[in-house]
């Protein structure tokens, strides 16, 4: 049996076992995928134990994404660029680290809004945390001409602009709505608008109906941002699919089958929220 899992602290909230369990069943594979709770102090030894136990690899989530990079023997370019890993593959006792969040973002948007053209115009990205890093990296790799980046703490946005280069331009939060007139994509990478979080303060009134508006929040599925954007005539993509698509490369590496994100899977995870 091939063994994999997801490590976090806490980990009870993770939906990853539903995703991987669905694909294991669908493909009739002899594999397992479980939640593994490890505190930051236990992380490094815990990984060694999993390797000794014959695990094929793991996903890692908060608060281990940076530590996962630090303990790896090999790091993919994108994980290195983002400064964090969410997927580890164990091979011959060595740890390979990757970050699949950006790929998950792009593949979700392409599946849900196939008409989307990343090169059509600038993107407006709200937020400058870990999720923003992965999404900026993916947008740049996909060929976005420019990114306007806004964040409550402007210095964090400036740090990202320095890291990612000239295509990223920092603006004040107050200028986000005026700037949105001329963008072809808007992405909320913050947790604002999620159940239990503060609302996202962003007016959709200036959006062009051809602008695609995406949110990484998936609970609720339709955030206030997406509702307002839809009223403006914009196509919208919710965040659930990013969670599903980021899981694909890990599953493929551990279990040897590249799975598809289908509606049944989407519904399973939705039912579990
Ligand atoms: P993640 O890894 O999920 O991106 P993070 O690194 O903590 O998490 O980043 C959270 C993002 O949401 C940041 O852009 C944060 O803004 P700050 O850099 O100013 O903290 C943003 N965010 C969180 N709560 C916010 C709030 N109440 N108002 C505005 N922005 C908020």
């Amino acid at each position: 049996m091939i063994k994999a899992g997801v490590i976090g602290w806490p980990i009870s909230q993770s939906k990853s076992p539903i995703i991987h369990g669905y694909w294991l069943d669908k493909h009739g594979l002899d594999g397992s995928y479980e939640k593994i709770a490890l505190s930051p102090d236990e992380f490094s030894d815990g990984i060694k134990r999993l390797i000794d136990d014959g695990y094929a690899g793991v996903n890692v989530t908060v608060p281990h994404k940076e530590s996962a990079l630090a303990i790896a023997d090999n790091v993919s370019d994108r994980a290195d660029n983002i400064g964090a890993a969410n997927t580890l593959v164990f091979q011959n006792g060595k740890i390979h680290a990757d970050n699949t969040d950006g790929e998950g973002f792009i593949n979700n948007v392409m599946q849900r809004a196939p008409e989307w053209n990343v090169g059509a115009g600038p993107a407006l990205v709200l937020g400058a945390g870990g999720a923003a890093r992965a999404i900026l990296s993916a947008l740049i790799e996909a060929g976005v001409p420019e990114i306007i980046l806004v964040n409550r703490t402007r210095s964090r946005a400036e740090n990202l602009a320095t890291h990612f280069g000239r295509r990223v331009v920092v603006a004040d939060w107050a200028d986000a709505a005026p700037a949105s007139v001329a963008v072809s994509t808007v992405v909320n990478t913050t947790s604002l608008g999620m159940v239990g979080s503060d609302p996202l303060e962003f007016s959709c009134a200036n959006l062009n109906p051809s602008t695609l508006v995406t949110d990484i929040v998936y609970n609720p599925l339709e955030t206030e941002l997406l509702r307002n954007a839809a009223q403006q005539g914009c196509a919208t993509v919710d965040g659930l699919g990013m969670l599903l698509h980021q899981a694909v490369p890990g599953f493929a590496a551990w279990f040897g089958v590249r799975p598809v994100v289908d509606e049944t899977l989407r519904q399973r995870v939705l039912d579990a929220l």
Side-chain angles (χ1 to χ4, degrees):
M1 182 170 78
I2 301 174
K3 292 185 285 190
V6 56
I7 302 177
W9 185 259
I11 195 59
S12 57
Q13 78 294 345
S14 175
K15 305 295 173 244
S16 292
I18 299 173
I19 301 170
H20 291 275
Y22 172 76
W23 286 330
L24 286 170
D25 281 352
K26 184 174 168 182
H27 294 285
L29 296 169
D30 185 19
S32 67
Y33 186 99
E34 62 188 299
K35 292 177 188 172
I36 303 162
L38 286 179
S39 71
D41 286 349
E42 299 165 325
F43 181 70
S44 178
D45 285 346
I47 291 280
K48 286 190 196 116
R49 218 169 32 245
L50 295 174
I51 293 173
D52 290 344
D53 283 352
Y55 272 69
V58 285
N59 286 124
V60 289
T61 186
V62 178
H64 301 306
K65 287 184 166 191
E66 283 86 14
S67 316
L69 199 64
I71 59 157
D73 298 292
N74 298 296
V75 174
S76 69
D77 288 347
R78 58 191 184 177
D80 188 38
N81 196 18
I82 295 162
N86 70 345
T87 304
L88 300 180
V89 179
F90 307 145
Q91 249 168 6
N92 305 322
K94 300 265 187 241
I95 304 168
H96 304 266
D98 193 10
N99 191 312
T100 66
D101 284 335
E103 178 180 336
F105 170 78
I106 297 280
N107 286 347
N108 178 42
V109 176
M110 291 200 317
Q111 186 180 47
R112 310 289 296 176
E115 72 287 357
W116 181 59
N117 176 4
V118 66
L124 173 64
V125 174
L126 310 175
R133 262 180 179 266
I135 289 170
L136 287 189
S137 170
L139 284 171
I140 290 169
E141 197 188 317
V144 76
E146 184 184 279
I147 295 170
I148 301 165
L149 183 62
V150 301
N151 192 48
R152 172 179 60 179
T153 312
R154 189 181 162 111
S155 59
R156 278 185 99 187
E158 281 164 355
N159 287 343
L160 284 196
T162 304
H163 179 75
F164 285 105
R166 275 182 300 112
R167 265 194 275 180
V168 182
V169 177
V170 177
D172 284 332
W173 195 277
D175 294 327
S180 69
V181 177
V183 302
S184 63
T185 311
V186 175
V187 190
N188 173 38
T189 73
T190 74
S191 51
L192 298 172
M194 188 171 81
V195 170
S197 293
D198 292 335
L200 175 70
E201 310 272 347
F202 176 75
S203 166
C204 291
N206 295 320
L207 289 178
N208 190 301
S210 65
T211 299
L212 174 81
V213 179
T214 73
D215 205 326
I216 69 160
V217 172
Y218 55 83
N219 191 10
L221 206 52
E222 190 192 48
T223 58
E224 195 184 340
L225 170 68
L226 297 189
R227 194 163 49 249
N228 291 342
Q231 273 168 10
Q232 196 69 11
C234 299
T236 64
V237 174
D238 63 68
L240 182 60
M242 179 175 166
L243 173 73
L244 308 177
H245 281 277
Q246 63 77 31
V248 169
F251 188 94
W254 308 319
F255 300 113
V257 175
R258 193 165 177 90
V260 167
V261 172
D262 62 25
E263 277 305 313
T264 311
L265 172 61
R266 211 176 132 80
Q267 196 55 52
R268 289 260 174 104
V269 176
L270 208 48
D271 291 345
L273 290 180

Coordinates of all heavy atoms in Angstrom, one line a residue, residues 162-201:
T162 N 9.8 44.0 -4.8 CA 11.2 43.9 -5.0 C 11.6 42.5 -5.4 O 12.5 42.3 -6.2 CB 11.9 44.3 -3.6 OG1 11.4 45.5 -3.2 CG2 13.4 44.3 -3.7
H163 N 11.0 41.5 -4.7 CA 11.3 40.1 -5.0 C 10.9 39.7 -6.5 O 11.7 39.0 -7.1 CB 10.6 39.2 -4.0 CG 10.8 37.8 -4.2 ND1 12.0 37.2 -3.8 CD2 10.1 36.8 -4.8 CE1 12.0 35.9 -4.1 NE2 10.8 35.6 -4.7
F164 N 9.7 40.1 -6.9 CA 9.2 39.6 -8.2 C 9.6 40.5 -9.4 O 9.3 40.2 -10.5 CB 7.7 39.4 -8.1 CG 7.4 38.2 -7.4 CD1 6.8 38.2 -6.1 CD2 7.6 36.9 -7.9 CE1 6.5 37.1 -5.4 CE2 7.3 35.7 -7.2 CZ 6.7 35.8 -5.9
G165 N 10.1 41.7 -9.1 CA 10.6 42.5 -10.2 C 9.7 43.6 -10.8 O 8.6 43.8 -10.3
R166 N 10.1 44.1 -11.9 CA 9.4 45.3 -12.5 C 8.0 45.2 -12.8 O 7.2 46.2 -12.9 CB 10.2 45.8 -13.7 CG 11.4 46.7 -13.4 CD 12.0 47.1 -14.7 NE 12.5 46.0 -15.5 CZ 12.0 45.6 -16.7 NH1 11.0 46.3 -17.2 NH2 12.5 44.6 -17.3
R167 N 7.5 44.0 -13.1 CA 6.1 43.8 -13.5 C 5.1 44.1 -12.4 O 3.9 44.2 -12.6 CB 5.9 42.4 -14.1 CG 6.0 42.5 -15.6 CD 5.5 41.2 -16.3 NE 6.5 40.2 -16.3 CZ 6.2 38.9 -16.8 NH1 5.1 38.7 -17.3 NH2 7.2 38.0 -16.8
V168 N 5.6 44.1 -11.1 CA 4.7 44.3 -10.0 C 4.8 45.7 -9.5 O 5.9 46.2 -9.2 CB 5.1 43.3 -8.8 CG1 4.1 43.5 -7.6 CG2 5.1 41.9 -9.3
V169 N 3.7 46.4 -9.5 CA 3.6 47.8 -9.1 C 2.7 47.9 -7.9 O 1.6 47.4 -7.8 CB 2.9 48.7 -10.2 CG1 2.8 50.1 -9.8 CG2 3.7 48.5 -11.5
V170 N 3.2 48.6 -6.8 CA 2.5 48.7 -5.6 C 1.6 49.9 -5.6 O 2.0 51.0 -6.0 CB 3.5 48.7 -4.4 CG1 2.7 48.9 -3.1 CG2 4.3 47.5 -4.3
A171 N 0.3 49.7 -5.1 CA -0.6 50.9 -5.0 C -1.2 50.9 -3.6 O -1.2 49.8 -2.9 CB -1.7 50.8 -6.0
D172 N -1.7 52.0 -3.1 CA -2.4 52.0 -1.9 C -3.7 51.4 -2.0 O -4.4 51.4 -3.1 CB -2.6 53.5 -1.4 CG -1.3 54.1 -0.9 OD1 -0.5 53.4 -0.4 OD2 -1.2 55.3 -1.0
W173 N -4.2 50.9 -0.9 CA -5.5 50.2 -0.9 C -6.6 51.1 -1.4 O -7.5 50.7 -2.1 CB -5.9 49.7 0.6 CG -7.0 48.7 0.6 CD1 -8.3 49.0 0.5 CD2 -6.9 47.3 0.5 NE1 -9.1 47.8 0.5 CE2 -8.2 46.8 0.5 CE3 -5.8 46.4 0.5 CZ2 -8.5 45.4 0.4 CZ3 -6.1 45.0 0.5 CH2 -7.4 44.5 0.4
A174 N -6.5 52.4 -1.0 CA -7.5 53.4 -1.4 C -7.5 53.6 -3.0 O -8.5 54.0 -3.5 CB -7.2 54.7 -0.8
D175 N -6.4 53.2 -3.6 CA -6.4 53.3 -5.1 C -6.8 52.1 -5.8 O -6.8 52.0 -7.1 CB -4.9 53.7 -5.5 CG -4.6 55.1 -5.0 OD1 -5.5 55.9 -4.9 OD2 -3.4 55.3 -4.6
A176 N -7.1 51.0 -5.1 CA -7.4 49.7 -5.7 C -8.7 49.8 -6.6 O -8.6 49.4 -7.8 CB -7.6 48.6 -4.7
A177 N -9.7 50.4 -6.1 CA -11.0 50.5 -6.8 C -10.8 51.4 -8.1 O -11.2 51.0 -9.2 CB -12.1 51.0 -5.9
P178 N -10.2 52.6 -7.9 CA -10.0 53.4 -9.1 C -9.1 52.7 -10.2 O -9.4 52.7 -11.4 CB -9.2 54.6 -8.6 CG -9.6 54.8 -7.2 CD -9.9 53.4 -6.7
A179 N -8.1 52.0 -9.7 CA -7.2 51.3 -10.6 C -7.9 50.1 -11.3 O -7.5 49.6 -12.4 CB -5.9 50.7 -9.9
S180 N -9.0 49.6 -10.7 CA -9.6 48.4 -11.3 C -10.3 48.6 -12.6 O -10.7 47.7 -13.3 CB -10.6 47.9 -10.2 OG -11.7 48.7 -10.1
V181 N -10.5 49.9 -13.0 CA -11.1 50.2 -14.3 C -10.3 49.6 -15.4 O -10.9 49.1 -16.4 CB -11.0 51.8 -14.5 CG1 -11.5 52.2 -15.9 CG2 -11.7 52.5 -13.5
A182 N -9.0 49.5 -15.3 CA -8.1 49.1 -16.4 C -7.5 47.7 -16.3 O -6.6 47.4 -17.0 CB -7.0 50.1 -16.6
V183 N -8.0 46.9 -15.4 CA -7.4 45.6 -15.2 C -8.3 44.5 -15.8 O -9.5 44.7 -16.0 CB -7.2 45.2 -13.7 CG1 -6.2 46.3 -13.1 CG2 -8.4 45.1 -12.9
S184 N -7.7 43.4 -16.2 CA -8.5 42.3 -16.8 C -8.7 41.2 -15.8 O -9.5 40.3 -16.1 CB -7.8 41.8 -18.1 OG -6.5 41.3 -17.8
T185 N -8.0 41.2 -14.7 CA -8.1 40.2 -13.7 C -8.0 40.8 -12.3 O -7.2 41.7 -12.1 CB -7.0 39.1 -13.8 OG1 -6.9 38.7 -15.1 CG2 -7.3 37.9 -12.9
V186 N -8.9 40.4 -11.4 CA -8.8 40.8 -10.0 C -8.7 39.5 -9.2 O -9.5 38.6 -9.4 CB -10.0 41.6 -9.5 CG1 -10.0 41.9 -8.0 CG2 -10.2 42.9 -10.3
V187 N -7.8 39.5 -8.2 CA -7.6 38.3 -7.4 C -7.6 38.8 -5.9 O -6.7 39.6 -5.5 CB -6.3 37.6 -7.6 CG1 -6.3 36.2 -6.9 CG2 -6.1 37.4 -9.1
N188 N -8.5 38.3 -5.1 CA -8.4 38.5 -3.6 C -7.6 37.3 -3.1 O -8.1 36.2 -3.1 CB -9.8 38.5 -3.0 CG -9.6 38.6 -1.4 OD1 -8.7 39.2 -0.9 ND2 -10.5 37.8 -0.7
T189 N -6.4 37.6 -2.5 CA -5.6 36.5 -1.9 C -5.6 36.6 -0.4 O -4.9 35.9 0.3 CB -4.1 36.7 -2.4 OG1 -3.5 37.8 -1.7 CG2 -4.0 36.8 -3.9
T190 N -6.4 37.5 0.1 CA -6.5 37.6 1.6 C -7.6 36.7 2.1 O -8.4 36.2 1.3 CB -6.9 39.1 2.1 OG1 -8.2 39.3 1.8 CG2 -6.0 40.1 1.4
S191 N -7.7 36.6 3.4 CA -8.8 35.7 4.0 C -10.0 36.6 4.3 O -11.0 36.1 4.8 CB -8.3 35.1 5.3 OG -7.8 36.1 6.1
L192 N -10.0 37.9 3.9 CA -11.2 38.7 4.1 C -12.4 38.3 3.3 O -12.2 38.0 2.1 CB -10.8 40.2 3.8 CG -9.6 40.8 4.6 CD1 -9.2 42.1 4.0 CD2 -10.0 40.9 6.0
G193 N -13.5 38.3 4.0 CA -14.7 37.8 3.3 C -15.0 36.3 3.7 O -16.1 35.8 3.4
M194 N -14.1 35.7 4.3 CA -14.3 34.3 4.8 C -15.2 34.3 6.0 O -15.2 35.3 6.8 CB -12.9 33.7 5.1 CG -13.0 32.2 5.4 SD -11.3 31.6 5.5 CE -10.8 32.1 7.2
V195 N -15.9 33.2 6.2 CA -16.7 33.1 7.4 C -15.8 33.3 8.6 O -14.7 32.8 8.8 CB -17.3 31.6 7.5 CG1 -17.9 31.4 8.9 CG2 -18.3 31.4 6.4
G196 N -16.3 34.2 9.5 CA -15.5 34.5 10.7 C -14.4 35.6 10.6 O -13.8 36.0 11.6
S197 N -14.2 36.1 9.3 CA -13.2 37.1 9.1 C -13.9 38.4 8.8 O -15.1 38.5 8.6 CB -12.3 36.8 7.9 OG -11.5 35.7 8.1
D198 N -13.1 39.5 8.8 CA -13.7 40.8 8.5 C -14.1 40.8 7.0 O -13.6 40.1 6.2 CB -12.6 41.9 8.7 CG -12.3 42.1 10.2 OD1 -13.1 41.8 11.0 OD2 -11.1 42.6 10.5
P199 N -15.0 41.7 6.7 CA -15.4 41.9 5.2 C -14.2 42.5 4.4 O -13.4 43.2 5.0 CB -16.6 42.8 5.2 CG -16.6 43.5 6.5 CD -15.8 42.6 7.5
L200 N -14.2 42.2 3.1 CA -13.3 42.8 2.2 C -13.8 44.1 1.8 O -14.9 44.2 1.2 CB -13.0 41.8 1.0 CG -12.1 42.4 -0.1 CD1 -10.7 42.4 0.4 CD2 -12.2 41.5 -1.3
E201 N -13.0 45.2 2.0 CA -13.5 46.5 1.6 C -13.0 46.8 0.2 O -11.8 47.2 0.0 CB -12.9 47.6 2.5 CG -13.2 47.3 4.0 CD -14.5 47.8 4.5 OE1 -15.1 48.6 3.8 OE2 -14.9 47.4 5.6

